[in-house]
Amino acid sequence: MDKVRPIAAPLSLYCCRVEMALKFKGLEYEYIHEDVANKSSMLLELNPVHKKIPVLLHNGVPVNQSLLILEYLDETWKENPLLAKRSMNACLAEGEDKEKAIASAVESLTFIEKLIKGKKFFGGESIGFMDLALGWIPLWTSVMEEVGDMKILDEETFPSLHEWAKSFIRVPLVKSCMPPREEFFNYVQSTARYLRSSIGCEEAIKG
Ligand SMILES: N[C@@H](CCC(=O)N[C@@H](CS)C(=O)NCC(=O)O)C(=O)O
């Protein structure tokens, strides 16, 4: 059985974030109390860079940083997902499943549309954390739409997100880091073909 042990303290809200996720996922865990005023050698060894809690120990392997821990939990345990399913599902599925996956992707984008409305970037006038976190949307979505023969990021439904996407990909540093569209398209197309043929659509969607 998996051994899940958060090294944490009840008064740390970063730790509460992780504990909420563990409970939300329905995981059993063993809480290891840490006193940050007198840090344990275990904490210093497992988080030598920041020396902070929370640290999640999964079968002895440490994961640091509360938001990364949330992502790790979500990728490791699929039940009660914290993050919306990716649009790759809509691209791979067919028929009714495809419609459902598109509706789910559109629902997530509707939420994001509300956040960006009236702003140039998520943080205001210049790029911030959220812009980088969501910076995959413009290229990924447009390529998925083409490979999956579908429309997700419709300009009329998501005018603000469209404006943001245009401004974002025009920023020189963003441009310099993004892969060329054609190369990315070929990569996604061959990945989709591989997933459809080797593990079957059903499995790909679950995974
Ligand atoms: N970015 C970190 C922040 C964690 C953090 O600041 N933890 C505090 C407790 S609330 C800590 O360990 N402080 C000890 C120290 O700074 O030495 C996260 O999200 O996990």
Side-chain angles (χ1 to χ4, degrees), residues 9 34-39 43 51-53:
E34 179 67 35
D35 175 6
V36 283
N38 182 20
K39 293 178 183 172
L43 175 66
K51 306 176 177 64
K52 289 185 180 190
I53 49 170

Side-chain angles (χ1 to χ4, degrees), residues 29-85:
Y29 57 91
E30 181 197 330
Y31 199 101
I32 304 177
H33 281 264
E34 179 67 35
D35 175 6
V36 283
N38 182 20
K39 293 178 183 172
S40 66
S41 53
M42 178 155 83
L43 175 66
L44 300 178
E45 196 181 304
L46 296 172
N47 190 354
V49 177
H50 299 295
K51 306 176 177 64
K52 289 185 180 190
I53 49 170
V55 172
L56 182 85
L57 270 177
H58 180 207
N59 295 332
V61 179
V63 186
N64 299 322
Q65 292 286 357
S66 58
L67 289 175
L68 293 184
I69 295 173
L70 258 50
E71 196 172 351
Y72 177 81
L73 292 173
D74 213 33
E75 288 180 358
T76 309
W77 287 276
K78 304 290 178 200
E79 49 273 41
N80 300 336
L82 298 167
L83 287 168
K85 278 191 172 184

Side-chain angles (χ1 to χ4, degrees), residues 15 49 62 80 99 108 110 147 162 167 170 176-177 185 201 205:
C15 297
V49 177
N80 300 336
E99 294 310 315
S108 305
T110 305
V147 173
H162 253 269
S167 321
R170 266 201 306 260
S176 73
C177 296
F185 175 86
C201 211
I205 291 160

